[in-house]
Amino acid sequence: MTRSRQLRLGAFMRPVSLHTGAWRYPGSYPDANFNFAHIKSFAQKLEAAKFDAFFMADHLAVLNMPVEALKRSHTVTSFEPFTLLSALAAVTERIGLAATASTTFDEPYHVARRFASLDHISNGRAAWNIVTTSNPDAALNFGLDEHVEHGERYKRAREFYDVVTGLWDSFADDAFIRHRESGIYLDPEKMHILNHKGEELSVRGPLNIARPVQGWPVIVQAGQSDPGRQLAAETAEVVFCSPRDLDGGKALYADIKGRMQAIGRNPDHLKMLPAAFVVIGDSIEEARTKRLSLDSLVHYDSAIASLSIALGHDASAFDPDAPLPKDIPETNASKTGRAQVIKLAQEENLTVRQLAQRYGGYSGLAFVGTPKSIADEMERWLDEEGSDGFNVVFPYLPQGLDDVTTRLVPELQRRGIFRNEYEGTTLREHLGLPRPKNRFFSD
Amino acid sequence: MTRSRQLRLGAFMRPVSLHTGAWRYPGSYPDANFNFAHIKSFAQKLEAAKFDAFFMADHLAVLNMPVEALKRSHTVTSFEPFTLLSALAAVTERIGLAATASTTFDEPYHVARRFASLDHISNGRAAWNIVTTSNPDAALNFGLDEHVEHGERYKRAREFYDVVTGLWDSFADDAFIRHRESGIYLDPEKMHILNHKGEELSVRGPLNIARPVQGWPVIVQAGQSDPGRQLAAETAEVVFCSPRDLDGGKALYADIKGRMQAIGRNPDHLKMLPAAFVVIGDSIEEARTKRLSLDSLVHYDSAIASLSIALGHDASAFDPDAPLPKDIPETNASKTGRAQVIKLAQEENLTVRQLAQRYGGYSGLAFVGTPKSIADEMERWLDEEGSDGFNVVFPYLPQGLDDVTTRLVPELQRRGIFRNEYEGTTLREHLGLPRPKNRFFSD
Ligand SMILES: Cc1cc2nc3c(=O)[nH]c(=O)nc-3n(C[C@H](O)[C@H](O)[C@H](O)COP(=O)(O)O)c2cc1C
Ligand SMILES: Cc1cc2nc3c(=O)[nH]c(=O)nc-3n(C[C@H](O)[C@H](O)[C@H](O)COP(=O)(O)O)c2cc1C
């Protein structure tokens, strides 16, 4: 039986995994960052499991890290999202394709065009993850000496969104007549010249591509700060977020959907999808062991730095194989972080080394258990309005992905909270989002 | 028997054709600008015929034209090149993929990344057509009030090339060790931080993607001015050009290869590929008739403007169905243009209408005849060093492309001047170009 509230599932991908030890996991493809064939097989499996979307995170610099961490990191290099997702568009038919594009370091004409083009090539499956790029190293790759200030970034992002969506509306859906006999290809009355001149941007238009199949590609937002949330409430149709637990999820859900109501937007027109790290075993115990074994592949030297940051205290003098010392001083820098570490150490009975490897590997929201126990948790998030679904992070590939598609998804389908078949052909249709009206032309 | 000098063939594509009347031609796909399936079939047919490369021209604005021309133009909208070529990379295996990217309106970090990514996805088939963007309307889409001055554009282009190639060399080919046991993913000694600070650009690096499969994607140049030619001589490995006839081709060939020798580059390391419009018939007469019939689909109102420009004289008062008047005054604006129009009118015995439609359709170098007569002409260009091959422009699609791949190519193969099978897997291998050394690391 199908329930009225349905889970939406995205795959939050880095080719090898977000987990820094994953490339060393047995059966993994350490070269997936260079190997299109692997990623193609991931996308095709996700589509066979009826996932809503394949999402490609992106950064505009080699992430800044000490050389000890750098040399162990598979994150240094990977495909650029537009080229990768366009290639995937050609070898898939239904799954949505979400690319990250920065409003701080790109031009609205380019961004509008590329997403429109991806939407045409994929027949309506593109989504734009709007980011303002928090990594300060990116600025140095784009002619600046220092990063653009946070408020300024969000100001440009808001205007950038207006320009991009305005450019997508350059042509009415019925602008192209293509009448062979008369020789009329298009109706110039149905072409709009934007002539945008704002505080941050000046763009004439029109865009040199027809209106996207979806009207506009789906708008995704991943910022967590106050301006980030406000931008989401005003513009986003999907929010990628990273609450630590159900309470955090509920608070964020209520906050963003409340902001939408305050400005007159229908809260159903935005789907909250927290990132969730999913590790599946035959028993909860086995799943935990898998996770510990994955974490153990994170090198201690790079891991300990992450633990120190979380604790707000240098942890490098602690005995790695002993439990966390009891007397770690509180600091202003990290009250919540310290409390979380202590709670985790107790709950899972972890040594300093294991804690460090957890923080150095992946420390966000995780569901670790059997298909049944994880489906229970996901169902609870859905019922209690902690989220509208999840952006699944696979611990290791391909096995972690296969576990989700062949073991968890069938359990969710059995419960009637996840589709057995795609409802339509476009990403908007999968997500139950309306097609935006053209702001310059009525249908 | 294979001859030592071999033709290289590129396909110079716009989805519907460069010819402005082509979308009305019987059997054409007027919606090819929106229809990936059509373009995919074109690329696959070209690959089956062993073409070196599929080249996608690109512009960063709707081309500025009077509304009478605009409404009849299929060129207004089309796919963005990176998204399109990446999608094609996933459904082809050997054919090269050349995308246009502007040095005036893009950032070197983005350009370097996208080409590197396309090169990885396609296993070494990417090429970068460096353009400085001559269309002044593009500037208005990128925050400027007027176009960047010509010399300034080429100055930036030269530095842009240095930065992009420097970024491609960020990692040695053997930088990625991926040793599971020790946990070492890469050798930081084999990563180079560019730290470029030049007059036009400042880019730190490293690029966040491994060195392209080809070392560098193949560098293509299409500028015709003196700085354009000089840039080609210094940097290009393929030149797209548009000489009007064999004499023009020979002059350009000698000029560019001479400039290369002057700076110590091996002239074999650059292939001159003029654009050539190819119309094939069972007889020369039939081919000419096909071309006239295609030209007749160009609307007179838009065609007459093109003829007036070529003549340097307003042609709108002439009788459309009479021969060209004898007494057209010479102007300073267009001495060569006027002489060419008069020569063409006599040679092909054309009316004013037919002349106008020729100029409004496609007026560059054309080979119109039988497979044998065209192969004769191409062979002559090759033998007399007018070119190293051609960038074929199809008059109409799909028929014009099928004529080339099924009738002309076999004739060229029979003569031993075009391959029967790809020699290698990368575009560099097809073109016989060396793999560039990494400027920061020796092999
Ligand atoms: C699930 C998720 C995915 C994200 N993906 C990206 C990404 O691909 N690229 C990026 O630059 N930032 C990404 N971010 C970071 C956010 O865009 C944002 O920069 C960061 O959360 C800081 O938010 P703030 O600037 O609003 O404080 C992601 C965040 C989350 C929660
Ligand atoms: C075969 C050929 C293909 C070209 N393709 C493009 C293109 O895709 N995009 C573009 O902006 N210019 C293109 N151009 C134009 C040149 O890049 C250049 O802007 C123009 O020839 C003016 O040259 P100049 O600025 O050196 O005088 C092309 C030219 C030729 C001959």
Side-chain angles (χ1 to χ4, degrees):
Chain A
M1 212 197 72
T2 302
R3 293 249 301 275
S4 72
R5 269 177 70 80
Q6 291 284 303
L7 275 179
R8 318 289 172 181
L9 293 182
F12 185 18
M13 302 292 293
R14 295 290 282 180
V16 177
S17 160
L18 281 177
H19 192 287
T20 51
W23 69 273
R24 301 175 67 196
Y25 199 78
S28 72
Y29 304 142
D31 70 338
N33 283 327
F34 307 80
N35 193 320
F36 177 66
H38 292 325
I39 304 186
K40 175 174 153 181
S41 78
F42 301 154
Q44 290 176 335
K45 287 174 180 183
L46 290 164
E47 180 168 79
K50 317 301 174 198
F51 261 61
D52 290 83
F54 179 104
F55 164 58
M56 186 68 184
D58 192 49
H59 299 280
L60 295 173
V62 166
L63 300 183
N64 188 11
M65 46 187 135
V67 73
E68 271 307 306
L70 179 75
K71 73 184 187 193
R72 302 178 187 283
S73 172
H74 65 260
T75 64
V76 164
T77 161
S78 86
F79 294 113
E80 183 275 341
F82 283 99
T83 41
L84 180 66
L85 294 180
S86 302
L88 290 177
V91 295
T92 55
E93 289 181 356
R94 286 289 179 273
I95 193 166
L97 301 163
T100 296
S102 170
T103 54
T104 305
F105 301 113
D106 214 326
E107 292 281 344
Y109 201 86
H110 286 314
V111 169
R113 257 187 108 199
R114 287 194 187 106
F115 278 109
S117 191
L118 178 61
D119 206 54
H120 281 288
I121 290 171
S122 65
N123 279 314
R125 297 187 281 139
W128 173 24
N129 178 32
I130 304 187
V131 301
T132 63
T133 305
S134 52
N135 178 2
D137 278 2
L140 307 179
N141 290 332
F142 293 90
L144 302 181
D145 288 332
E146 54 181 51
H147 201 21
V148 182
E149 184 268 317
H150 192 270
E152 170 62 23
R153 295 207 304 273
Y154 272 104
K155 195 166 155 233
R156 179 173 157 108
R158 188 63 185 76
E159 191 178 327
F160 199 109
Y161 164 88
D162 284 339
V163 175
V164 167
T165 53
L167 288 170
W168 283 335
D169 287 345
S170 291
F171 293 95
D173 289 321
D174 58 355
F176 297 92
I177 301 164
R178 299 194 284 262
H179 190 252
R180 270 210 177 91
E181 285 71 52
S182 64
I184 306 296
Y185 195 82
L186 74 116
D187 180 354
E189 301 280 311
K190 300 205 166 164
M191 179 179 99
H192 182 266
I193 298 173
L194 189 64
N195 269 329
H196 175 93
K197 281 195 196 296
E199 282 186 50
E200 305 278 328
L201 298 162
S202 136
V203 180
R204 181 169 180 270
L207 199 64
N208 56 357
I209 183 163
R211 194 160 191 253
V213 173
Q214 298 183 97
W216 303 350
V218 173
I219 305 294
V220 184
Q221 222 286 119
Q224 313 264 329
S225 60
D226 186 73
R229 292 172 185 213
Q230 191 56 30
L231 180 67
E234 291 174 18
T235 67
E237 302 175 280
V238 169
V239 165
F240 290 158
C241 50
S242 48
R244 295 199 74 85
D245 54 27
L246 181 51
D247 284 342
K250 282 153 86 167
L252 193 59
Y253 193 97
D255 178 52
I256 302 239
K257 301 233 171 174
R259 288 177 194 241
M260 290 176 78
Q261 275 167 316
I263 56 168
R265 275 188 77 200
N266 180 343
D268 285 344
H269 293 174
L270 182 152
K271 308 297 168 187
M272 296 288 296
L273 304 186
F277 189 78
V278 174
V279 185
I280 297 175
D282 290 333
S283 64
I284 294 181
E285 219 24 64
E286 196 211 24
R288 289 207 175 134
T289 308
K290 280 189 183 176
R291 187 186 200 187
L292 282 174
S293 126
L294 173 62
D295 284 351
S296 76
L297 300 172
V298 179
H299 197 271
Y300 190 65
D301 293 352
S302 28
I304 197 69
S306 310
L307 179 62
S308 303
I309 291 165
L311 276 174
H313 181 90
D314 180 6
S316 60
F318 299 167
D319 177 356
D321 297 308
L324 196 67
K326 296 249 174 285
D327 52 353
I328 302 165
E330 256 189 51
T331 62
N332 279 331
S334 184
K335 274 198 183 153
T336 12
R338 180 178 168 281
Q340 270 159 359
V341 178
I342 294 174
K343 187 162 162 255
L344 176 63
Q346 283 167 349
E347 273 176 9
E348 299 193 28
N349 199 18
L350 302 177
T351 63
V352 167
R353 183 189 305 277
Q354 287 169 326
L355 278 169
Q357 286 170 328
R358 175 68 49 85
Y359 280 88
Y362 187 89
S363 61
L365 175 68
F367 297 135
V368 181
T370 64
K372 203 182 152 311
S373 77
I374 296 172
D376 286 343
E377 288 188 272
M378 289 188 161
E379 202 169 343
R380 193 161 162 221
W381 278 70
L382 191 64
D383 288 341
E384 298 187 15
E385 301 201 328
S387 77
D388 298 303
F390 295 95
N391 212 4
V392 179
V393 182
F394 303 106
Y396 29 74
L397 290 157
Q399 192 54 56
L401 185 150
D402 291 341
D403 288 342
V404 168
T405 57
T406 63
R407 301 179 67 185
L408 177 60
V409 165
E411 177 64 26
L412 298 170
Q413 288 170 328
R414 212 185 47 72
R415 296 174 185 217
I417 55 172
F418 190 64
R419 68 172 68 81
N420 289 294
E421 197 37 82
Y422 287 110
E423 299 81 9
T425 60
T426 69
L427 179 56
R428 285 189 176 279
E429 286 165 340
H430 306 340
L431 294 170
L433 296 169
R435 188 176 194 273
K437 293 203 182 311
N438 191 316
R439 82 173 72 146
F440 308 118
F441 302 100
S442 55
D443 299 331
Chain B
M1 210 198 73
T2 301
R3 293 249 302 274
S4 73
R5 268 177 70 80
Q6 291 285 303
L7 275 179
R8 317 290 171 179
L9 294 181
F12 185 16
M13 301 292 293
R14 293 291 282 179
V16 178
S17 159
L18 281 177
H19 192 286
T20 52
W23 69 273
R24 301 174 68 194
Y25 200 77
S28 71
Y29 305 141
D31 70 338
N33 283 328
F34 307 80
N35 194 320
F36 177 66
H38 292 325
I39 304 184
K40 175 174 152 179
S41 78
F42 302 154
Q44 290 176 336
K45 285 174 180 183
L46 290 164
E47 180 168 79
K50 318 299 174 200
F51 261 61
D52 290 83
F54 179 105
F55 164 59
M56 186 66 184
D58 192 50
H59 300 281
L60 295 173
V62 166
L63 299 183
N64 188 12
M65 46 186 134
V67 73
E68 271 308 305
L70 180 74
K71 73 184 187 193
R72 301 177 188 284
S73 171
H74 65 261
T75 64
V76 165
T77 162
S78 85
F79 294 113
E80 182 276 340
F82 284 99
T83 43
L84 180 67
L85 295 180
S86 302
L88 290 176
V91 294
T92 55
E93 290 180 356
R94 285 290 178 273
I95 193 166
L97 301 163
T100 297
S102 169
T103 54
T104 305
F105 301 114
D106 215 326
E107 292 281 344
Y109 201 85
H110 286 314
V111 169
R113 257 189 108 196
R114 288 196 186 103
F115 278 109
S117 191
L118 179 61
D119 206 55
H120 281 287
I121 289 171
S122 65
N123 279 315
R125 297 187 280 140
W128 173 24
N129 178 32
I130 303 186
V131 301
T132 63
T133 305
S134 52
N135 178 2
D137 279 3
L140 307 178
N141 290 331
F142 293 90
L144 302 181
D145 288 332
E146 54 181 50
H147 201 22
V148 182
E149 184 268 317
H150 192 269
E152 170 62 24
R153 294 207 303 274
Y154 272 104
K155 194 168 154 228
R156 180 175 157 107
R158 188 63 185 76
E159 191 177 325
F160 199 108
Y161 163 88
D162 284 338
V163 175
V164 167
T165 51
L167 287 171
W168 283 334
D169 287 345
S170 292
F171 294 94
D173 289 321
D174 58 356
F176 297 93
I177 302 164
R178 298 195 285 263
H179 189 253
R180 270 212 178 89
E181 285 71 52
S182 63
I184 304 297
Y185 195 82
L186 74 114
D187 180 353
E189 300 281 310
K190 300 205 167 164
M191 178 178 98
H192 182 265
I193 298 174
L194 189 62
N195 268 329
H196 176 92
K197 282 195 195 297
E199 281 186 52
E200 306 277 330
L201 298 161
S202 136
V203 180
R204 181 170 180 270
L207 198 63
N208 54 357
I209 183 163
R211 194 159 192 254
V213 173
Q214 296 184 97
W216 303 350
V218 173
I219 304 293
V220 184
Q221 221 285 121
Q224 312 266 324
S225 60
D226 185 73
R229 292 172 185 213
Q230 191 55 30
L231 181 66
E234 291 173 18
T235 68
E237 301 175 279
V238 169
V239 165
F240 290 157
C241 52
S242 47
R244 296 199 73 87
D245 54 27
L246 180 52
D247 284 341
K250 283 154 85 166
L252 193 58
Y253 194 97
D255 178 52
I256 303 242
K257 302 233 173 177
R259 288 178 193 240
M260 288 177 78
Q261 274 166 315
I263 57 169
R265 276 188 76 199
N266 180 343
D268 285 344
H269 293 173
L270 183 152
K271 308 296 168 188
M272 296 289 295
L273 303 186
F277 190 78
V278 174
V279 185
I280 297 175
D282 291 333
S283 64
I284 293 179
E285 219 25 62
E286 197 211 23
R288 288 205 175 136
T289 308
K290 280 188 183 176
R291 184 184 203 190
L292 284 173
S293 129
L294 173 63
D295 283 352
S296 77
L297 299 173
V298 179
H299 197 270
Y300 190 64
D301 294 352
S302 30
I304 196 69
S306 310
L307 179 61
S308 302
I309 291 166
L311 275 174
H313 182 88
D314 181 8
S316 61
F318 298 168
D319 177 355
D321 297 307
L324 196 68
K326 298 249 172 285
D327 52 353
I328 302 167
E330 256 191 53
T331 61
N332 278 332
S334 184
K335 274 198 183 157
T336 14
R338 179 178 168 282
Q340 270 158 358
V341 177
I342 293 173
K343 185 162 163 255
L344 176 64
Q346 283 167 348
E347 272 176 9
E348 298 193 29
N349 198 18
L350 302 178
T351 63
V352 167
R353 183 189 305 278
Q354 287 169 328
L355 279 168
Q357 287 170 328
R358 175 68 49 85
Y359 280 88
Y362 187 90
S363 60
L365 175 68
F367 298 134
V368 181
T370 63
K372 200 181 154 314
S373 77
I374 296 172
D376 285 344
E377 288 188 273
M378 289 188 161
E379 202 169 343
R380 193 163 163 218
W381 277 70
L382 192 64
D383 288 341
E384 298 188 15
E385 302 202 328
S387 76
D388 298 303
F390 297 94
N391 211 4
V392 179
V393 181
F394 304 106
Y396 30 74
L397 291 157
Q399 192 55 57
L401 184 151
D402 292 341
D403 288 341
V404 169
T405 57
T406 63
R407 302 179 66 185
L408 177 59
V409 165
E411 177 64 26
L412 299 170
Q413 288 169 330
R414 210 184 50 71
R415 296 174 186 217
I417 55 171
F418 189 64
R419 67 171 68 81
N420 289 294
E421 197 38 80
Y422 287 111
E423 299 81 10
T425 60
T426 69
L427 178 57
R428 286 191 176 277
E429 285 165 341
H430 306 340
L431 294 170
L433 296 169
R435 189 175 194 271
K437 292 203 184 311
N438 191 317
R439 81 174 74 146
F440 308 117
F441 302 100
S442 55
D443 299 330

